[in-house]
Amino acid sequence: MKIIFLGTPEFAVPSLDILFENGYEIVGVITVADKPSGRGQKLHESEVKQYAVKHGIKVFQPLKLSDPNFLSEIKLLNADLQIVVAFRMMPIALWSMPKLGTLNLHGSLLPNYRGAAPINRALMNGERITGVTTFFLKHEIDTGNIIFQEEIFINDDETAGELHDRMKDIGASLVLKTVKAIESNNVHAFEQDILIKQKGELKLAPKIFKEDCKLDFSKNISYLHNQIRGLSPYPGAFFEIKLSDGTIQSIKIFRSLKESAGTVLTHELITDGKTFIKISASDGFISIKEIQVSGKKRMSVEELLRGYSFPDNSVIL
């Protein structure tokens, strides 16, 4: 069975690796074009491309997936199946090409959390269970017929980065299971509408924007804690303080703990200047464990307080 793999970030690499290591014929990898990044603006190759080059797999990096010359090249590969993990939207001319279809790995239990940020949104919403889904692609995003799903339990203080790292390996195993089932003609995919009727209103996973990252300490501590871990390490939840000279300083929080309390004065920053920083919310305190003040690197609170102190009369915005 000839396979084309489509993916870009590090999340997709374990799925490509598990197929390669199990002897499947990967006739091509499609990924994004190299992009300048970093201080020197050196060209950065996607993690999927780096893996493919290392293992001698042919790489395609079209600027447009609808380019006729690119589509002609892909058609000549005569692939039986395409596998998509963490890639962009595809034209029908591409995903409908293989005779066995195009399958996608998605980081949620579909139909819930369709969209660009399923890991982040599940944590931000305080979910205790999420999962991975393989499904056949169709035109509407994340709506195709489901092949397999696997549940993943979420730990209380787990961050999006930690869940991402667990999910990429669990997802890779599900991709392999799916490919084996397709290969043996043992697939019984079903429409998502069946689950929608059972679940009722769907939870969605739209792209994260800056306004999703701003912390509002009038909210309760569970809401804030979930927002912080759901946005860690990227793009990062943040708050702003106004210094006595009128300048605004942005501060990111990457890890926190909840401290329940009775009546508190919200938006109050409390620190001993050595070991702890906490901010009062509507029903307690957010105790900050990992932090980044603008202009500094990410560090523990203890590390920050060794060389930094919050100016008197600072106001949380």
Side-chain angles (χ1 to χ4, degrees), residues 98-119:
K99 64 182 180 182
L100 296 178
T102 296
L103 72 89
N104 185 211
L105 173 70
H106 187 73
S108 79
L109 296 175
L110 290 173
N112 275 325
Y113 295 106
R114 293 171 175 169
I119 298 176

Side-chain angles (χ1 to χ4, degrees), residues 81-215:
L81 179 69
Q82 289 180 157
I83 298 171
V84 183
V85 182
F87 197 57
R88 61 187 192 267
M89 287 189 66
M90 300 162 57
I92 187 171
L94 181 57
W95 62 256
S96 64
M97 197 177 291
K99 64 182 180 182
L100 296 178
T102 296
L103 72 89
N104 185 211
L105 173 70
H106 187 73
S108 79
L109 296 175
L110 290 173
N112 275 325
Y113 295 106
R114 293 171 175 169
I119 298 176
N120 306 95
R121 295 291 182 181
L123 287 174
M124 291 168 73
N125 287 342
E127 300 288 359
R128 301 307 303 270
I129 297 174
T130 184
V132 284
T133 303
T134 52
F135 66 98
F136 286 116
L137 231 59
K138 59 188 287 189
H139 184 67
E140 296 82 7
I141 189 168
D142 297 334
T143 61
N145 290 0
I146 291 172
I147 309 169
F148 292 125
Q149 294 186 310
E150 184 167 343
E151 289 188 348
I152 300 173
F153 288 91
I154 302 173
N155 300 317
D156 289 344
D157 298 315
E158 190 166 21
T159 66
E162 291 163 345
L163 179 57
H164 165 281
D165 289 347
R166 287 203 297 134
M167 187 177 283
K168 69 184 181 184
D169 294 323
I170 296 170
S173 296
L174 195 68
V175 166
L176 179 62
K177 176 183 176 181
T178 305
V179 171
K180 286 183 175 180
I182 292 172
E183 186 178 32
S184 61
N185 196 27
N186 190 28
V187 168
H188 305 285
F190 59 92
E191 293 183 359
Q192 293 190 32
D193 287 348
I194 296 172
L195 294 178
I196 292 173
K197 290 175 182 177
Q198 298 173 0
K199 296 177 183 292
E201 186 177 355
L202 296 182
K203 301 171 184 177
L204 300 178
K207 183 179 177 181
I208 301 292
F209 292 97
K210 185 175 181 179
E211 54 265 30
D212 297 307
C213 304
K214 179 76 181 288
L215 294 164

